[in-house]
Amino acid sequence: RPESLGIVVGIVYLVIAILFQHFNFTADSIWLVEYNAALASVCFMILLGFIDDVLDIPWRVKLLLPTIAALPLLMAYAGGTSIIIPKPLASYVG
């Protein structure tokens, strides 16, 4: 089916990204972990798109699988998170 040819573009993207990683190798292991986690997530989403084109999976599965695909990114993130709640606009007005 012509719909499932997006996997070719995705594979070309992954090959170029892996070659970029190979030729720009640094000793920074944190960068490599985050980069590989991003590549794993992209690879999983390409696979999900291909499977959706071929098998026509239902919407409830389409909602579940991206959350699983985000797990490598969540596991690789080592920084802290914070939320800054702005003051109401009325407190700035005289």
Side-chain angles (χ1 to χ4, degrees):
R1 291 171 38 164
E3 298 172 348
S4 59
L5 285 178
I7 194 166
V8 174
V9 177
I11 289 173
V12 169
Y13 173 78
L14 285 175
V15 167
I16 290 171
I18 290 169
L19 288 175
F20 170 78
Q21 177 184 5
H22 178 71
F23 290 119
N24 289 333
F25 181 78
T26 62
D28 186 11
S29 64
I30 294 173
W31 180 82
L32 287 174
V33 169
E34 291 175 354
Y35 193 81
N36 286 332
L39 286 180
S41 292
V42 168
C43 184
F44 192 81
M45 291 309 295
I46 290 170
L47 180 65
L48 172 65
F50 177 72
I51 290 172
D52 180 41
D53 287 340
V54 173
L55 299 178
D56 197 29
I57 57 178
W59 273 102
R60 62 182 174 273
V61 177
K62 289 180 193 177
L63 291 175
L64 178 67
L65 289 179
T67 57
I68 296 171
L71 287 178
L73 291 175
L74 291 173
M75 296 300 290
Y77 183 69
T81 58
S82 63
I83 298 174
I84 299 173
I85 300 173
K87 293 180 183 179
L89 187 60
S91 64
Y92 292 114
V93 178

